[in-house]
Amino acid sequence: MFPSRIIAAPMAGGVSTPALVSAVARAGGLGFLAAGYKSVTALRAEIASVRLTGLPFGVNLFVPGGPAKNREPLLAYRAKLASLADRYGVVLPDPQYDDDGWDSKVRTLMDEPVPFVSLTFGLPDRAIIGALQQRGTVVISTVTCQRELALAREHGVNAAVVQHSSAGGHSAVFDPSHPAERPTTDIAALIASLIPNSAVPLIAAGGLTGGRDIRRTLDAGATAVQLGTLFVRTHESGARQIHKDALASLAFPGTAVTQAFSGRPARGLENQFMREHRDAPLGYPEVHHLTSPLRAAAAAAGDPELLALWAGTGYRAAQPIGATDLVAHLIAELDR
């Protein structure tokens, strides 16, 4: 089903460029474009670019939830950020909901099928999953616990990415107000706990830093591993240089989970904004749109203390090398 044991995670916000996905594929890995935060026109252009390689690739979709039921915490958060907005000379928008062009993106993947589609933040109607599969697409759900895995199987997915809490970026938890308990110590242990009751192949994600971690996780029962943070500093990554530099900076000694930037739990390098807004409300994508002008202004000013520097716990292993070289090195480690 999968052309490689090494998968480059979809990273929204510009990190997962067509160049990165293509470089991963050329080395024998499998890369994913990230449709999140992207127009349908841009998504189609990226798909066309990667398709020219003739190699397998995938597209990741954010499954939309509903709008926030209570806008009062969102408006209070906007008011709290007003002085910071004044300092940067930006206007904060009203917190607004949208579904990230869900229908148009699904229609695009129906009209122009790709080999793999992964789903994050939940599950769509079974009919959508079935329709994608009828077009020859392998459909993968991202899950964080046994309950979500069971739901994904009921919906008929072909495989599941099991995301450990040590992973960088957004947690894929279906209901962010009720995060799953994770008693296991690492991704290998989580995979081992799920394998006995799993009827679909499992892809492991979270906290993997090299060949030894990957081998142990594959030995625990994973079909493949999905790596994100290791690719952020690669030459083909579209991450801002300030983000790449922060992963190597001693100014950021660790990561933490926050909802201050987007209204959904996500792991990144702990910075001042995260520390000062630990009480930020849930509400995705409302909070994402609300803080977007602040993050853009901080990026322009070269201020990492106000940026979402997504990173998993193994971020120190990320190196400034070519993605093809990284994948080739990991595969060679596994084949020793």
Side-chain angles (χ1 to χ4, degrees), residues 4-99:
S4 175
R5 294 163 292 177
I6 305 296
I7 298 174
M11 292 173 279
V15 181
S16 293
T17 62
L20 175 57
V21 174
S22 299
V24 168
R26 284 194 295 270
L30 175 64
F32 275 78
L33 295 170
Y37 314 140
K38 194 169 293 169
S39 71
V40 173
T41 300
L43 176 60
R44 284 176 174 156
E46 291 193 356
I47 290 173
S49 175
V50 179
R51 208 187 293 276
L52 290 175
T53 66
L55 296 168
F57 69 99
V59 172
N60 175 260
L61 295 174
F62 287 166
V63 179
K69 296 179 180 178
N70 185 359
R71 284 179 53 83
E72 291 304 316
L74 301 175
L75 295 174
Y77 190 41
R78 183 179 185 275
K80 183 177 180 179
L81 295 176
S83 60
L84 191 58
D86 290 342
R87 187 192 315 167
Y88 277 91
V90 299
V91 177
L92 299 180
D94 287 333
Q96 297 294 326
Y97 171 81
D98 66 65
D99 66 0

Side-chain angles (χ1 to χ4, degrees), residues 137-179:
T137 298
V138 173
V139 179
I140 306 165
S141 173
T142 312
V143 303
T144 65
C145 63
Q146 179 65 63
R147 179 182 59 81
E148 292 173 354
L149 176 58
L151 287 172
R153 286 168 48 198
E154 290 174 7
H155 276 65
V157 301
N158 299 104
V161 171
V162 178
Q163 184 196 56
H164 189 263
S165 57
S166 56
H170 281 98
S171 168
V173 64
F174 290 6
D175 183 354
S177 66
H178 293 88

Side-chain angles (χ1 to χ4, degrees), residues 9 15 29 53 68 76 88 109 120 134 140 149 152 168 223 230 258 274 280 284:
V15 181
T53 66
Y88 277 91
L109 295 173
T120 302
Q134 288 172 8
I140 306 165
L149 176 58
T223 297
L230 279 184
T258 184
M274 291 167 64
Y284 178 88

